[in-house]
Amino acid sequence: GVMYAHITRWKFAPGVADDTMRRFTDQCLPQLRQASGFHSYEAIKTAADHALAISRWESEAGAVAAGALTRE
């Protein structure tokens, strides 16, 4: 079936990318995994101070809710 994605672009202060991404994975990812319709999550470091996080969802509502969670 059709999947929906939520993509977050991160720009970090110099030197904090790895720590911030690790904290997000430890603190927020468990909440995403428990959300209805969650399918997968991947974080990709694109430069020393930039990253993308992509979560895949079974519904548009799940993708929108992920956006709210990742902004907290």
Side-chain angles (χ1 to χ4, degrees):
V2 174
M3 298 295 290
Y4 294 84
H6 181 268
I7 300 171
T8 303
R9 294 180 184 180
W10 286 326
K11 182 174 191 300
F12 304 104
V16 302
D18 291 337
D19 185 53
T20 302
M21 290 175 69
R22 188 173 16 263
R23 279 188 290 124
F24 179 85
T25 299
D26 292 346
Q27 296 172 9
C28 295
L29 186 53
Q31 294 175 30
L32 288 177
R33 286 187 173 140
Q34 292 176 4
S36 177
F38 175 82
H39 187 268
S40 65
Y41 170 85
E42 185 172 15
I44 304 162
K45 196 168 176 185
T46 58
D49 61 350
H50 289 81
L52 292 175
I54 304 165
S55 57
R56 294 177 54 199
W57 299 85
E58 294 175 3
S59 70
E60 183 177 6
V64 170
L69 177 64
T70 57
R71 283 189 297 273
E72 291 179 356

